[in-house]
Amino acid sequence: MKNQILSKLNAACSWRDTLHVYDTVDSTNTRAKELAKQGAPHGTVLIANAQTGGRGRMGRRFDSQAGMGIYMSVILRPGCQAERLMHLTCAAAGAMCDAVENTTDLRPGIKWINDLVWDSRKLGGILTELSVDPGTGLAEFAIIGIGINCTHSQEDFPAQLQQLAGSLAMATGKPVDRSGLAAAMIEALYDMDRRLLTQKDAIMERYKADCITLGRDITVHQAEGIRHGKALDISPDGGLVVSFADGSTETVQSGEVSVRGLYGYV
Ligand code: BTN
């Protein structure tokens, strides 16, 4: 797999020198964190054929069966205050839409904040983890973890995901070039990294265009309870601006948002 990816990866992409490809790991994000703590450089890329403990947001598992998806993590050392990286997940999501579109001609939608979707099914997700120096507020490193379902048919997913998850093969009806997609993902993240701090407005405009949550009826699940509303906008830092049924408008920064019409929510 490593040689196939390298043969498809732009020769000018310097991250090719710090590419690690594994057969099976617990989680590429966990492994990336270990490598980052040992000093691995900016642009270290980890890809696994399978994960035994693939992780998603909100402590969820990410189904990571052997040879069926791309399970990738990238270590970034942006060298800036952590507060300037609030849009990182949005930037990575847009980059992944570019990578999928370049490889398959299909551009997924984004369900706020980190899900790639097609036809109301989840194609993949992004888990961003940040290590911050508490004294200075500087970001020591960021890990961007991405999982994309590639070759599955519906029956390949665990029973509880069969109505919720989809794959690029299901979406396109064609075989998926996994090494080509992996190379496109690395290139898209490399490009995103170069624009991350200087082209924030353009990145967020593109994110809004891809975000299928906007304009939809949603349910926000927060510690205080469940609230219904309509998704109005995305804030510059990636928050979801919601008009709630009680007439208030608030920006939601975290938590779970269900979108009517998606993942079986009616
Ligand atoms: C989500 O759906 O909430 C995010 C899923 C992120 C999954 C990827 S797979 C590669 C990397 N390693 C992990 O353990 N998680 C991310």
Side-chain angles (χ1 to χ4, degrees):
M1 179 87 163
K2 181 171 179 176
N3 287 339
Q4 283 173 309
I5 297 171
L6 286 175
S7 71
K8 293 169 184 171
L9 189 57
N10 192 324
C13 177
S14 58
W15 291 1
R16 57 187 299 121
D17 301 329
T18 45
L19 170 64
H20 302 257
V21 177
Y22 305 91
D23 182 30
T24 305
V25 293
D26 170 15
S27 150
T28 54
N29 264 35
T30 304
R31 184 82 194 106
K33 223 181 285 180
E34 290 162 4
L35 290 185
K37 284 183 186 154
Q38 291 162 17
H42 180 86
T44 298
V45 179
L46 297 83
I47 298 176
N49 192 47
Q51 298 183 116
T52 54
R55 299 185 282 114
R57 276 178 81 233
M58 327 266 300
R60 299 210 178 95
R61 282 183 59 83
F62 186 81
D63 181 59
S64 310
Q65 299 177 58
M68 292 205 164
I70 299 293
Y71 317 116
M72 174 186 291
S73 298
V74 178
I75 301 171
L76 299 184
R77 296 187 184 276
C80 66
Q81 293 293 121
E83 65 194 22
R84 294 184 64 201
L85 297 173
M86 297 284 284
H87 64 309
L88 184 58
T89 299
C90 296
M96 291 307 95
C97 290
D98 292 342
V100 170
E101 187 176 23
N102 289 340
T103 317
T104 66
D105 283 340
L106 173 143
R107 189 168 185 94
I110 302 169
K111 173 185 173 286
W112 185 85
I113 182 170
N114 69 324
D115 279 1
L116 303 181
V117 298
W118 159 78
D119 195 21
S120 42
R121 288 173 178 267
K122 176 163 171 163
L123 284 178
I126 295 162
L127 177 65
T128 307
E129 298 181 285
L130 206 55
S131 172
V132 184
D133 181 324
T136 62
L138 273 178
E140 292 167 329
F141 59 82
I143 311 285
I144 304 173
I146 303 135
I148 300 185
N149 304 326
C150 292
T151 66
H152 311 63
S153 56
Q154 190 169 319
E155 306 74 51
D156 289 323
F157 290 107
Q160 70 276 17
L161 296 182
Q162 286 190 4
Q163 302 306 320
L164 312 178
S167 72
L168 292 177
M170 289 164 65
T172 61
K174 294 184 189 152
V176 180
D177 172 11
R178 283 173 63 244
S179 55
L181 175 62
M185 289 165 66
I186 296 170
E187 282 173 11
L189 289 166
Y190 183 76
D191 184 53
M192 174 217 78
D193 174 56
R194 288 189 303 172
R195 304 165 59 228
L196 186 64
L197 298 177
T198 55
Q199 295 182 34
K200 185 174 169 186
D201 291 350
I203 287 171
M204 292 311 295
E205 282 310 309
R206 181 71 241 197
Y207 181 86
K208 284 192 214 183
D210 286 323
C211 183
I212 51 92
T213 308
L214 290 180
R216 305 277 281 264
D217 291 331
I218 62 167
T219 302
V220 181
H221 305 250
Q222 290 169 319
E224 312 82 59
I226 294 178
R227 299 168 76 194
H228 298 281
K230 190 182 267 292
L232 293 184
D233 199 3
I234 306 288
S235 74
D237 284 340
L240 185 65
V241 182
V242 183
S243 159
F244 284 106
D246 63 7
S248 64
T249 299
E250 287 173 35
T251 302
V252 177
Q253 297 291 355
S254 61
E256 181 63 5
V257 167
S258 306
V259 178
R260 194 181 292 280
L262 226 64
Y263 305 171
Y265 169 45
V266 286

